[in-house]
Amino acid sequence: MEFSFNTIKSPVENILLKEKGSKFIGFAFPVDDEAELKKSLEKIREEHPKATHHCYAYRLGIKGENYRANDDGEPSGSAGLPIYNQLLAHEITNVLVIVVRYYGGTKLGVSGLVKTYKESAKITLEEAEIVKKELESEIEISFGFSQQNQIFTLLSKFDGRILDFLSDEKCIITAKIKTSIKENISEQLSEMQNISFRFK
């Protein structure tokens, strides 16, 4: 099983390419789910309401198993697919690339469109910083007040990120850990007494 993937660190916006009077503007966004995808698409549609086309492609999931290429009115396969192929070429996932086109009066033909959308996606992604991300899992641990130090020590040993901590006689910590160490941390927690934990 794979526990990490390559994605882009932060959004890249307004990368301009001109071809025969048409303007192509590239955008790339790191996205974790469909809701973020929608938000980014809506944002660009609002920023460019007069554009002729908003073509895009995305990959989601560790192996990019959830993907889509959208031509938005361009001839079939001439826009979304060339953009999608750049995501494959850069071996990244959890990324949305949008290319906005303002038609300039000269038709480019299907091969011209394929070339230009590919180039636009390529120069946009070349501006992005590609980073490796570890898959994370959320864990909730319940324990007695006196066991705090034990739990904190364990979490810091595994680079756990604490999201929430309720301290009472019975304490509850919610933390994010790397999925790759899930079994490891589970074993150690199981050996401790009066502790219960679950993965969300």
Side-chain angles (χ1 to χ4, degrees):
M1 194 172 158
E2 292 184 49
F3 295 114
S4 63
F5 58 92
N6 289 339
T7 188
I8 62 174
K9 189 174 178 181
S10 50
V12 174
E13 302 194 43
N14 298 310
I15 305 300
L16 179 65
L17 178 68
K18 287 181 177 168
E19 185 64 39
K20 293 184 179 163
S22 278
K23 281 199 311 192
F24 294 81
I25 309 165
F27 299 84
F29 296 96
V31 286
D32 285 325
D33 51 45
E34 307 239 346
E36 286 184 18
L37 269 171
K38 280 200 174 116
K39 240 167 65 183
S40 301
L41 271 167
E42 277 162 18
K43 170 178 155 9
I44 299 306
R45 285 194 179 119
E46 278 166 22
E47 284 176 15
H48 295 275
K50 293 193 165 74
T52 329
H53 305 278
H54 300 87
C55 305
Y56 66 89
Y58 65 76
R59 290 181 82 204
L60 280 176
I62 278 209
K63 296 188 170 71
E65 56 276 2
N66 182 354
Y67 60 89
R68 182 153 181 225
N70 187 316
D71 296 315
D72 192 36
E74 292 281 30
S76 179
S78 67
L81 206 57
I83 297 171
Y84 174 70
N85 285 336
Q86 285 305 305
L87 292 172
L88 293 181
H90 286 78
E91 296 178 353
I92 50 178
T93 184
N94 285 21
V95 177
L96 163 70
V97 174
I98 306 168
V99 177
V100 170
R101 179 185 184 193
Y102 285 90
Y103 182 58
T106 307
K107 291 202 160 147
L108 300 180
V110 171
S111 61
L113 287 171
V114 169
K115 202 169 132 271
T116 312
Y117 278 106
K118 174 194 163 183
E119 189 57 29
S120 181
K122 186 169 176 267
I123 62 172
T124 301
L125 288 172
E126 279 166 1
E127 292 294 317
E129 186 184 341
I130 292 175
V131 288
K132 190 184 184 123
K133 254 193 161 176
E134 295 271 350
L135 254 203
E136 293 186 317
S137 297
E138 208 168 289
I139 186 170
E140 187 180 276
I141 313 170
S142 311
F143 52 93
F145 189 75
S146 59
Q147 294 166 297
Q148 282 187 67
N149 283 351
Q150 244 180 319
I151 299 293
F152 278 115
T153 306
L154 182 71
L155 282 171
S156 79
K157 183 174 115 183
F158 284 114
D159 292 326
R161 262 196 2 258
I162 293 167
L163 305 175
D164 198 18
F165 177 42
L166 298 171
S167 169
D168 214 350
E169 277 166 50
K170 196 81 181 139
C171 301
I172 297 174
I173 273 186
T174 308
K176 278 232 164 127
I177 56 154
K178 289 177 184 154
T179 307
S180 52
I181 56 135
K182 216 166 144 176
E183 278 178 36
N184 228 328
I185 201 167
S186 299
E187 274 172 28
Q188 299 206 18
L189 285 166
S190 304
E191 287 165 11
M192 297 178 174
Q193 288 177 345
N194 309 323
I195 282 176
S196 64
F197 67 93
R198 68 185 180 98
F199 287 99
K200 290 186 164 181

